[in-house]
Amino acid sequence: MEAMERIAPRILAEEWDNPGLLIGDPAQKINKIITCLDVNEAVVNEAIEKKYDMIISHHPFIFHALKKIRTDLPMGKLIQKLLKNNIAVFAAHTNLDSAKGGINDMLCELWHLHNVQMLNVNFAEELVKLAVFVPKSHAKAVRLAIGKAGAGYIGNYSYCAFEMQGMGHFLPLAGTNPYIGEIGKIASVDEVKLETILPAKIKDRVVRAMVKAHPYEEAAYEIYPLKMTGETAGLGRIGELEKVVPFEEFAAMVKDTLQIDHIRLVRTNDREIKKVALCSGAGAEFLSTAKMRGADVYITGDVKYHEAQKAQELNINLIDAGHFGTEYLVAKALAGKLDTYAKKNKWNIEISYDKVAKDPFVML
Ligand SMILES: [Zn+2]
């Protein structure tokens, strides 16, 4: 679960979503994991047969509120099987769509897009500024401690901080145990004002590290909210191909690389393709955004009749590569990411992925 939080932070999930641990106990010890797009009977049977103790899917197995668990019906039957065999079920849905390195980025990689940006930014990390007053003798220790705790990241630079020298004054009151000065006497000390920037979510950790490294009984510090934001995340991506290609050629490449047997095209103009916008799953809602951002083509799944008409109105080429088509790659890719994480942390876990899932739609 810690690995999944790294790969697809829960904070990135859409409000209506239901990611996370859906069946099981967070304390359960996991030895074998299978990843998949959907939790269905085939996956559950494979998990039982091959003794997997956790299934990680993209689509949440439990999405709508359950009002009954009838074991004579498909859903109830699967829940019963999962519980009986002690198999945990976890989902990373829209948080995995939005996350850096998530499904949308996997598609960009597959199609070799560069200059990739978010299509629809829906999360921007809140940043704060920390200013701490520390005696000159301990300025370096405090600066390094807060840097080690994760403060001071600006782009690819870490431990960023600014120091200003000045004079601190204080009067220790009765009952104190001052590091410098005496009770009842105003002390004046050469101090440094140390400033740095950090994500609001790690504020407590940084303050703890700062207080630990600070010599004073009462460390004087301030935290300010900032208008600027840090890392962004969001659904969909927009990027550029290495070279301009005709629409049909691009569409054929999409079909080939996704290893699917059909795609649907809404061809609205003869423009060659350079700028590509995409959103895995059902992303027709970002069609106008793709047009506004100057995309030559928009690729998504689950396109409806009126959405195809909208593409014509907007004069943007549209490819419906299917919901399954744009997302099945997640099963293998997620297994790979988890495996890397497990190896790095020396976890003895076996990870596999659902190799038999098929698009429910077939073409005649
Ligand atoms: Zn989906």
Side-chain angles (χ1 to χ4, degrees), residues 217-358:
E217 195 177 12
E218 297 288 350
Y221 67 95
E222 293 154 0
I223 292 175
Y224 314 97
L226 294 177
K227 293 261 187 208
M228 60 196 279
T229 50
E231 293 236 356
T232 54
L235 292 170
R237 298 289 184 270
I238 183 162
E240 287 174 15
L241 291 172
E242 274 150 16
K243 62 179 180 72
V244 176
V245 292
F247 180 48
E248 257 81 29
E249 197 180 304
F250 176 74
M253 185 277 288
V254 167
K255 186 168 157 256
D256 276 2
T257 50
L258 292 176
Q259 297 173 18
I260 48 181
D261 59 15
H262 67 274
I263 54 174
R264 296 190 301 161
L265 309 181
V266 183
R267 183 177 191 139
T268 63
N269 60 59
D270 293 330
R271 201 176 305 144
E272 294 201 303
I273 308 298
K274 173 85 177 160
K275 211 166 184 185
V276 175
L278 60 96
C279 183
S280 62
E285 64 187 287
F286 303 125
L287 185 62
S288 307
T289 314
K291 172 69 185 178
M292 236 159 48
R293 300 277 301 270
D296 302 314
V297 64
Y298 183 52
I299 306 138
T300 188
D302 283 352
V303 175
K304 292 181 190 161
Y305 176 70
H306 291 300
E307 291 159 347
Q309 281 180 320
K310 195 173 168 193
Q312 289 178 319
E313 276 165 35
L314 292 169
N315 189 25
I316 178 169
N317 284 316
L318 174 65
I319 297 177
D320 182 347
H323 197 125
F324 180 89
T326 55
E327 291 194 330
Y328 176 56
L329 78 167
V330 73
K332 188 178 177 184
L334 187 55
K337 274 175 182 282
L338 282 169
D339 196 46
T340 309
Y341 194 90
K343 286 203 173 95
K344 206 172 128 195
N345 289 282
K346 299 197 171 65
W347 293 345
N348 193 17
I349 293 185
E350 195 186 315
I351 301 156
S352 186
Y353 67 97
D354 173 15
K355 299 180 186 84
V356 296
K358 288 231 167 342

Side-chain angles (χ1 to χ4, degrees), residues 177-224:
N177 180 21
Y179 176 73
I180 297 172
E182 286 172 43
I183 293 173
K185 277 190 183 167
I186 289 186
S188 297
V189 183
D190 277 333
E191 285 185 349
V192 163
K193 182 185 184 188
L194 197 59
E195 293 183 51
T196 191
I197 195 169
L198 55 129
K201 68 176 181 202
I202 64 161
K203 187 174 70 184
D204 293 346
R205 184 172 85 204
V206 171
V207 167
R208 268 199 308 274
M210 180 270 288
V211 168
K212 205 172 161 201
H214 202 295
Y216 287 178
E217 195 177 12
E218 297 288 350
Y221 67 95
E222 293 154 0
I223 292 175
Y224 314 97

Side-chain angles (χ1 to χ4, degrees), residues 24-84:
D25 177 349
Q28 185 184 344
K29 199 176 172 317
I30 302 297
N31 300 304
K32 279 179 87 174
I33 295 175
I34 182 164
T35 61
C36 57
L37 178 59
D38 297 286
V39 180
N40 51 33
E41 206 181 351
V43 173
V44 174
N45 287 343
E46 191 181 346
I48 295 170
E49 197 185 308
K50 297 190 178 151
K51 301 202 173 349
Y52 288 105
D53 34 33
M54 186 177 203
I55 299 175
I56 300 183
S57 69
H58 177 50
H59 293 139
F61 175 54
I62 299 173
F63 190 68
H64 300 291
L66 284 176
K67 290 198 173 168
K68 56 188 168 224
I69 300 175
R70 287 250 317 251
T71 53
D72 58 327
L73 297 175
M75 180 79 172
K77 208 190 276 164
L78 284 187
I79 294 177
Q80 187 186 34
K81 274 188 177 184
L82 288 161
L83 289 172
K84 217 168 139 187

